[in-house]
Amino acid sequence: MTKKYRKIATTTLKIVVSIALLYFIFTKIDYNTVITTIKKAHLGYLSLALGLFILSKYFNALRLNLYLHAIEVPLSHRSNFKLYLLGMFYNLFLPGGIGGDAYKGYVLKKRFNVSTKRLVAVLLLDRLSGMLLILIYALILAFFIDNKLFATFKYLFLLAIPIGVVLFYLVVKQFFSYTLAAFWGSFGYSALLQAIQLLCVFLLLLALGITSSVTEYLFVFMVSSIVSVIPLTIGGVGSREVTFLYGAKWLNLEPNISIGISFLFFLISALVSLSGIYYHFKKPKLERTSTLV
């Protein structure tokens, strides 16, 4: 099978899985209730959530640029943020074509003549750094949830945090030592942007009038963020909603509200990603700089 047909087959499979998962979800919830709930969402809180999501992506781009500068790719942050938005657009709206990371890797390689191996490594480490903080926040939230599912493991959750950080640091030091200077900076940006996204989801809860079981909803969101990274669906559509559905079931949450939160977060993400279409038609000029501004 040629590369072209593999891409078509992969994309088709992702679309089928997404549709199948969404169909499954709508057999388990009251679709009309979910739509009614979303329609009643407070516009002010939604606007604040949108602003915070954009801010989180700004710090996400900053984190990536730390890694790029570590391998001597002197990209200005302004250019990097434009490229980041374009990557978001490609990831969500053009899944059958070129992926966001693949495109970024291609243009950066062409512009700065950097090692392909190192470029792939920093793009991967950028993702893993984010995943580490998602896991850390999930463990912290799990510690504060009063549920028999977690009672036995509460202190193991806290113990796992420093172990995970140390292990990740040692892996980076052993195999990617040339990025070590960016480790703690990227860790800080990851902590900040994930905290902002949690606040974004908290505002979505307020928009839907939810003031109870907040910790549980935030925990399910963190878990769904991990699950949505698995490349089985288009932009995480379906996999995130299934996580919310079963998270609601296991933690005694309202499933319709959970799915509503998931849909609202996806709509915000899609709206911001769509802004990258501008740079699809007007490719950003990759400017050099000696600083991260």
Side-chain angles (χ1 to χ4, degrees), residues 48-49 52-53 55-57 59-60 63 129-130 132-138 140-141 186-203 218 221-222 225 265:
L48 287 173
L52 285 176
F53 184 82
L55 183 61
S56 75
K57 291 304 173 182
F59 287 115
N60 209 327
R63 183 185 69 198
S129 177
L132 174 64
L133 265 297
I134 291 174
L135 181 59
I136 287 174
Y137 279 121
I140 292 172
L141 290 166
S186 67
F187 186 90
Y189 279 132
S190 295
L192 182 58
L193 76 91
Q194 294 301 339
I196 292 172
Q197 288 207 0
L198 277 175
L199 183 55
C200 173
V201 177
F202 176 67
L203 287 171
L218 294 179
F221 170 74
M222 286 284 98
S225 296
F265 188 83

Side-chain angles (χ1 to χ4, degrees), residues 143-292:
F143 177 81
F144 289 103
I145 292 176
D146 184 18
N147 188 288
K148 63 181 181 180
L149 290 173
F150 303 137
T152 307
F153 307 103
K154 277 200 169 187
Y155 291 99
L156 290 178
F157 293 153
L158 295 184
L159 181 61
I161 294 173
I163 292 175
V165 173
V166 170
L167 286 177
F168 187 55
Y169 178 85
L170 291 176
V171 168
V172 172
K173 185 177 181 181
Q174 177 67 32
F175 299 103
F176 311 100
S177 58
Y178 49 87
T179 69
L180 206 57
F183 183 87
W184 292 113
S186 67
F187 186 90
Y189 279 132
S190 295
L192 182 58
L193 76 91
Q194 294 301 339
I196 292 172
Q197 288 207 0
L198 277 175
L199 183 55
C200 173
V201 177
F202 176 67
L203 287 171
L204 293 182
L205 287 170
L206 293 181
L208 297 177
I210 303 301
T211 56
S212 60
S213 302
V214 171
T215 304
E216 288 82 352
Y217 280 113
L218 294 179
F219 170 75
V220 174
F221 170 74
M222 286 284 98
V223 175
S224 74
S225 296
I226 297 173
V227 174
S228 65
V229 173
I230 302 173
L232 295 177
T233 63
I234 299 297
V237 175
S239 58
R240 187 186 292 275
E241 285 73 24
V242 166
T243 305
F244 265 96
L245 180 65
Y246 280 97
K249 177 181 178 181
W250 292 329
L251 297 177
N252 297 314
L253 304 175
E254 172 53 53
N256 295 322
I257 294 294
S258 296
I259 298 301
I261 295 168
S262 180
F263 281 166
L264 285 174
F265 188 83
F266 172 76
L267 289 174
I268 287 175
S269 177
L271 182 61
V272 175
S273 298
L274 186 59
S275 67
I277 194 174
Y278 175 80
Y279 300 111
H280 173 68
F281 295 105
K282 186 178 180 181
K283 293 295 190 290
K285 183 180 179 181
L286 303 185
E287 301 170 343
R288 291 175 176 264
T289 183
S290 58
T291 61
L292 290 176

Side-chain angles (χ1 to χ4, degrees), residues 75 106-114 285-288:
L75 183 65
Y106 169 76
V107 296
L108 289 171
K109 168 70 177 178
K110 184 177 179 181
R111 176 70 173 87
F112 297 101
N113 194 30
V114 64
K285 183 180 179 181
L286 303 185
E287 301 170 343
R288 291 175 176 264

